[in-house]
Amino acid sequence: MLAGIALAAAVLGVGVALAGAGGDGAPDGVRVAGVDVAGLGRDEIARVVRRRARELMSRPVEIVRADDADYRLRVTPRSLRARPQVRRAVDRALDGRGLGGRLMSLVGLGETRDIPIEFTLDRGAVGEVVGDVTRGLNTPARAAALEVTDDDIVVRRSAVGFGVDPRALRERIARLPERIELELGPLAPAVGDAAAEAAREQALAIVAQPVEVTLQGKGVTIEPEVLRSALRFQPRPPELRVLLDPAVLYEDIAPAFETREREARDATFVVSGSSVRLVPSRIGRSLDMQAIAAAITSQPGTAAVRARFKVTKPGRTTAQARALRITEQVAEYTTPYSCCEPRVQNIQRAAELLDGYVIPAGGRFSLNDALGRRTEERGFVAAPQIAAGRLEDAVGGGVSQVATTMFNAAFFAGLAIVDHTPHQFWISRYPQGREATVSFGGPELIVDNDWDAAVLIDATATDSAITIRLFSSPLGRRVETETSEQTNIVQPEIHETVDDDLEPGERVVEQEMGGPGFTVTYTRTVWAGSELKRDETYTWTYDAQDAYVRVGPDAPEPEPDEPRRQEPRTDRGGTTREQPAPTAPRAPARTDGGGAPPATSSGGPAPPPPGT
């Protein structure tokens, strides 16, 4: 009886102890990288792991050579851009939390474990270390290869190398030991001679006879010389794969199947006047050259393979296009320019790239992203643009007129203007303040389409004007704007620079004087039905467009002549008078910075600067 009570009490005590000792914490005797974590929960263990991992990041790994005491390379987990596997260490620390494990811990028989922290290393960083080691030590092995000649396929024999096995070294570094002693020895080639010989036999069989590509009883023949020109060899250690280039084969057989192939067509929009029409998408069909080439190589010496086709899908389906809800014109803006200047080619090229661009509902539009870098290879030419207050030629000059036209179209469509920068000078073909300039890398023109429908851009550039029209769903948009009078007017000035390479009095106008600088303010209110969506005020200050002129140096003062003795002259009345000595002529004075300009090199007065 007493024994039974004692046993029950003991069991009860063990249960109570288990309840208190177990919980969700790590079992007794568990360490992580030397740190005791017994009884700690998941979050606490994770903090321990991260703290200890930071300490281990500086622990060095020494790479040495047994045959060279002076060779020593030291790396650390930090230099290898290591990342600790925190979750794995925590999971391992919490193993053994079951009833059996807790009971063993309670009676002092629990397992003592020290769990290491494992790291994931950056492959590129490890590769750099392996490269540093092997570059000075290794004589690389040479893999066997095949070469196609005019009348044969020749094996280029392999060669054994010597040094450190890069793959084995990478695996040893991944374990982050304190010391790695390099082991030098023979390095086997990735592809041996036997593998190359086997690949040669396969290749010879492939080109031994013509192969017919058939479809419904008809076919076209690929001759051996075409098969030979299409041969390719790809190392797949320890094998050497034999392949046929699908593009070479396609060029040979495509004419025979041209009526069977059909390009996929995206759903597109065709603009007609102020309306837009949806052109449905179309599924495409094309020869599956990868499959045809694989069929020939997998059956060396075969006389015929079946033509295979694959379906090509459009990038935008009809259903996707309808979901854009592009139905009618919602804004239009035109800006003019003079015909036939280099900048016109840039405007027309930019309009070509922009035409048909779709800004999805909720999407962001960047003109620089849409046009890409302006280069000669992409059809742009050098033309004037404003840089630091002066006009200079740059490839793509004139694209800012596209930016101004797009800005105003988006402005009157009620879209959100995220970023724009007007020109430094006011250009009279643009509305005051309400315009934009761009350059690749900044300034930017960025617009958000914060409406419920997508926006289609229709861009047309003629010889004398660019027009951008935006198509979408109307959504009850209404835009109103007002522009203030000019204030803070500043007149342009003339900046003259003396150029010793010019003749005295010569003037070269590098930039004509333009209009004055001023400040202007304009507003925009955007309505969606009766709801006011935006109430905006913009202010911009233009600089005056100064003139820049290079002028020749002042004419030097002539050396005075020796004074001559004047003979007395007697006038009619008998009075004797002396002639005064001649004096040197003086150069005309010059006024800088907006005063009266000096005489021109032709001797006449300089014309007044334009715009003054």
Side-chain angles (χ1 to χ4, degrees), residues 269-275 329 331-337 343-357 367 371 398 401-406 409 456-471:
F269 298 93
V270 175
V271 172
S272 177
S274 60
S275 62
Q329 181 175 307
E332 177 179 354
Y333 205 81
T334 300
T335 59
Y337 43 75
R343 67 189 304 273
V344 175
Q345 179 174 335
N346 293 330
I347 294 170
Q348 291 174 335
R349 176 60 179 143
E352 179 184 346
L353 294 171
L354 196 57
D355 189 47
Y357 193 101
L367 185 60
L371 299 184
Q401 180 147 2
V402 182
T404 290
T405 313
M406 179 65 197
L456 169 69
I457 301 175
D458 177 75
T460 304
T462 66
D463 289 339
S464 58
I466 176 172
T467 298
I468 289 181
R469 295 186 294 171
L470 303 182
F471 291 79

Side-chain angles (χ1 to χ4, degrees), residues 492-507:
E493 299 178 348
I494 300 175
H495 299 279
E496 292 186 346
T497 303
V498 176
D499 187 343
D500 292 334
D501 293 334
L502 300 179
E503 296 294 328
E506 185 179 358
R507 295 170 59 83

Side-chain angles (χ1 to χ4, degrees), residues 119-194:
F119 290 85
T120 299
L121 308 183
D122 181 83
R123 290 185 58 84
V126 175
E128 290 177 8
V129 174
V130 172
D132 290 343
V133 171
T134 58
R135 194 174 298 115
L137 295 178
N138 284 14
T139 301
R142 185 178 67 244
L146 294 179
E147 180 183 353
V148 180
T149 65
D150 291 340
D151 55 1
D152 200 359
I153 300 174
V154 180
V155 175
R156 300 304 181 192
R157 300 294 173 181
S158 63
V160 175
F162 185 83
V164 176
D165 184 345
R167 181 178 298 179
L169 178 57
R170 182 183 287 273
E171 292 173 355
R172 295 177 71 186
I173 292 173
R175 293 193 289 270
L176 294 174
E178 294 183 3
R179 179 185 174 91
I180 297 175
E181 186 170 316
L182 298 177
E183 300 172 354
L184 280 66
L187 300 175
V191 177
D193 293 346

Side-chain angles (χ1 to χ4, degrees), residues 221-473:
T221 300
I222 305 177
E223 298 295 338
E225 57 268 24
V226 175
L227 294 169
R228 179 179 291 271
S229 66
L231 279 174
R232 302 291 183 266
F233 306 105
Q234 181 185 75
R236 184 68 65 85
E239 305 299 327
L240 185 63
R241 293 184 63 194
V242 180
L243 305 172
L244 290 171
D245 188 335
V248 175
L249 300 183
Y250 180 77
E251 186 177 353
D252 186 60
I253 69 173
F257 295 96
E258 59 184 358
T259 59
R260 300 275 184 170
E261 290 193 292
R262 184 177 69 181
E263 287 189 10
R265 184 181 66 200
D266 289 354
T268 57
F269 298 93
V270 175
V271 172
S272 177
S274 60
S275 62
V276 61
R277 176 173 58 88
L278 174 62
V279 178
S281 62
R282 183 180 67 189
I283 297 293
R285 182 176 61 248
S286 63
L287 281 167
D288 188 346
M289 295 308 304
Q290 291 284 356
I292 294 172
I296 298 173
T297 57
S298 64
Q299 306 171 59
T302 185
V305 295
R306 182 172 56 85
R308 293 168 170 82
F309 288 83
K310 61 182 179 180
V311 172
T312 54
K313 297 181 179 180
R316 180 193 296 145
T317 66
T318 303
Q320 290 170 334
R322 285 200 181 97
L324 296 175
R325 300 173 61 199
I326 297 172
T327 58
E328 61 187 83
Q329 181 175 307
V330 295
E332 177 179 354
Y333 205 81
T334 300
T335 59
Y337 43 75
S338 299
C339 173
C340 312
E341 297 175 348
R343 67 189 304 273
V344 175
Q345 179 174 335
N346 293 330
I347 294 170
Q348 291 174 335
R349 176 60 179 143
E352 179 184 346
L353 294 171
L354 196 57
D355 189 47
Y357 193 101
V358 173
I359 312 172
R364 171 161 291 187
F365 169 82
S366 161
L367 185 60
N368 272 330
D369 289 348
L371 299 184
R373 189 177 296 275
R374 274 73 85 185
T375 63
E376 292 179 349
E377 293 76 15
R378 300 185 66 242
F380 294 92
V381 298
Q385 69 175 18
I386 301 172
R390 306 184 70 161
L391 292 171
E392 62 179 29
D393 278 355
V395 175
V399 169
S400 288
Q401 180 147 2
V402 182
T404 290
T405 313
M406 179 65 197
F407 171 83
N408 277 277
F411 183 90
F412 287 107
L415 303 180
I417 309 298
V418 178
D419 191 12
H420 82 290
T421 304
H423 286 81
Q424 185 176 1
F425 311 139
W426 178 51
I427 302 170
S428 59
R429 59 177 169 263
Y430 303 151
Q432 296 177 19
R434 212 180 64 231
E435 44 101 356
T437 183
V438 291
S439 179
F440 198 82
E444 294 271 7
L445 172 60
I446 297 177
V447 174
D448 275 355
N449 177 15
D450 56 346
W451 298 86
D452 296 335
V455 173
L456 169 69
I457 301 175
D458 177 75
T460 304
T462 66
D463 289 339
S464 58
I466 176 172
T467 298
I468 289 181
R469 295 186 294 171
L470 303 182
F471 291 79
S472 184
S473 294

Side-chain angles (χ1 to χ4, degrees), residues 536-559:
E536 302 164 339
T537 300
Y538 298 88
T539 299
W540 184 253
T541 298
Y542 290 104
D543 293 342
Q545 186 173 346
D546 295 343
Y548 290 88
V549 181
R550 289 188 292 118
V551 299
D554 290 339
E557 296 277 354
E559 294 293 333

